[in-house]
Amino acid sequence: MKLTTRGHYSVKALLDLSLQPNYGPASVKLIARRQDMPAPYLEKLLIEMRRAGLVKSSRGSIGGYQLAREPHKICLGEILEAVGETIEPLPHHQATPAQTEDWVTFSLWQRLHQKLKEALYSITLADLYYDARSWQASVGEEANFVV
């Protein structure tokens, strides 16, 4: 699995939304400015995440995007899949029965893939938020939040 800009920006955007008072809406422009990413690209990602049920949007002067669920109910695996990141092993290699080494390697990669998938679906936005806050506190930073 390789984390691309799509996945990285998506996680950053949802972490940003998790900081809004009462998880209220934030505009694409504000999120993009705070997280230093291009607004048009972010808008496309947020639309994909809205379709996946991770965020909801509202129109108007106080509108924008907001989390569809509380941060502890949104996991990293969901975010990545919503924007098309694959967590499946790249080539679907099949082990040949004649080669024990192939079977051992195949089995190893299958087990690693399963553990990675379990990890991605057990880490929530709330976990990432507290990790970031702990790091900021350890280096003496204030409560501004840029991932």
Side-chain angles (χ1 to χ4, degrees):
M1 184 194 145
K2 178 182 175 185
L3 184 62
T4 66
T5 302
R6 293 176 64 79
H8 184 82
Y9 282 3
S10 298
V11 172
K12 284 175 65 164
L14 292 194
L15 273 171
D16 190 279
L17 289 175
S18 73
L19 293 171
Q20 298 307 307
N22 299 318
Y23 311 120
S27 74
V28 173
K29 287 180 183 179
L30 286 176
I31 299 168
R33 188 177 317 129
R34 284 191 298 256
Q35 299 302 325
D36 191 31
M37 59 180 82
Y41 188 61
L42 176 60
E43 178 92 47
K44 291 176 185 176
L45 296 173
L46 286 166
I47 289 169
E48 291 178 34
M49 290 187 282
R50 183 176 48 85
R51 288 183 187 137
L54 299 175
V55 297
K56 53 188 176 181
S57 61
S58 54
R59 297 180 186 266
S61 61
I62 58 169
Y65 286 91
Q66 64 190 104
L67 297 178
R69 302 187 299 251
E70 294 177 7
H72 71 276
K73 294 182 179 179
I74 298 175
C75 64
L76 192 54
E78 288 179 291
I79 299 168
L80 297 176
E81 282 192 3
V83 296
E85 294 282 29
T86 181
I87 58 174
E88 298 302 318
L90 293 177
H92 290 287
H93 175 72
Q94 296 296 321
T96 56
Q99 295 290 325
T100 304
E101 296 84 7
D102 279 354
W103 176 251
V104 170
T105 303
F106 176 75
S107 177
L108 169 68
W109 286 112
Q110 289 298 102
R111 290 171 64 190
L112 287 172
H113 166 66
Q114 185 58 38
K115 294 295 183 188
L116 175 62
K117 194 171 185 176
E118 289 170 12
L120 289 173
Y121 280 90
S122 68
I123 299 168
T124 68
L125 275 178
D127 296 328
L128 296 176
Y129 169 83
Y130 290 118
D131 288 347
R133 286 291 191 218
S134 294
W135 176 79
Q136 284 180 323
S138 73
V139 295
E141 284 191 17
E142 290 185 24
N144 62 353
F145 195 76
V146 176
V147 183

